[in-house]
Amino acid sequence: MKPIGAKTINTERLVLRAPQLSDAEALVHIKSLTMSVNEAHITIKKIVEELSHPFVYHWVIMLDGNVIGRIKAWDVNPYNGYLQFGYDIGEEYRCCGYMSEALQAVIRFMMMEADANRVFCSVRAGNIASRRVCEKCGMILEGTLRQHYARQDGS
């Protein structure tokens, strides 16, 4: 995999760009970051610092100049060329095709420009909307990892 980092991606309706310190309040507002604005500033500062590493891929999703969500590649394995995506979008922007559009663009970028070999998402069994996003992006269900992730609420 090529160490090119996240670059700006334009789609028909969206702009995906690297997070900036000024995004903290917007990410808290859309509940992408479930913390105080002060904590969000610290988190975003760390994310911005991480962007200097060539295998860090993190985007905020912009619609008409407003932050509406984000996508991050994690579990990046440059040697084998695979990575996992995590994403979220503000409630008022769900069911409009924005996340599918954004994720398709990021997958295309990772496969064509970064030379990724494989991408995947781990989706909670009950998250039907997220499973549908994955399906729209060409992913297929390969299995179920029982008791693999623990949530903060203990489930």
Side-chain angles (χ1 to χ4, degrees):
M1 218 164 80
K2 293 179 186 174
I4 61 174
K7 295 182 180 179
T8 300
I9 302 170
N10 293 291
T11 71
E12 185 177 322
R13 302 180 291 173
L14 308 169
V15 175
L16 288 77
R17 63 155 173 80
Q20 301 170 354
L21 293 174
S22 59
D23 296 330
E25 287 184 46
L27 291 169
V28 169
H29 175 73
I30 63 169
K31 299 179 182 152
S32 177
L33 295 174
T34 53
M35 55 185 66
S36 73
V37 172
N38 288 341
E39 292 169 324
H41 281 289
I42 294 166
T43 298
I44 294 296
K45 185 175 185 227
K46 289 177 186 175
I47 290 170
V48 169
E49 289 169 0
E50 288 175 356
L51 291 171
S52 64
H53 299 287
F55 290 108
V56 170
Y57 302 95
H58 200 139
W59 294 268
V60 291
I61 304 166
M62 307 284 296
L63 174 68
D64 299 328
N66 298 311
V67 174
I68 66 167
R70 63 188 179 130
I71 298 177
K72 180 177 184 175
W74 54 298
D75 287 343
V76 177
N77 183 316
Y79 180 75
N80 293 309
Y82 67 78
L83 55 102
Q84 178 173 193
F85 288 118
Y87 50 82
D88 56 63
I89 193 163
E91 285 183 38
E92 61 267 36
Y93 303 103
R94 294 179 186 165
C95 300
C96 300
Y98 297 130
M99 186 52 73
S100 297
E101 182 177 330
L103 187 59
Q104 285 171 348
V106 169
I107 290 170
R108 190 171 25 259
F109 170 82
M110 294 306 300
M111 300 299 254
M112 304 300 289
E113 295 192 39
D115 288 340
N117 178 51
R118 179 180 173 84
V119 299
F120 66 98
C121 294
S122 295
V123 179
R124 289 185 187 94
N127 192 342
I128 304 302
S130 191
R131 286 179 58 177
R132 185 70 187 120
V133 167
C134 291
E135 290 168 357
K136 286 180 181 179
C137 293
M139 296 182 195
I140 58 170
L141 178 64
E142 290 190 346
T144 301
L145 300 171
R146 289 174 178 79
Q147 300 179 3
H148 187 72
Y149 289 107
R151 294 179 70 167
Q152 290 178 347
D153 66 3
S155 62

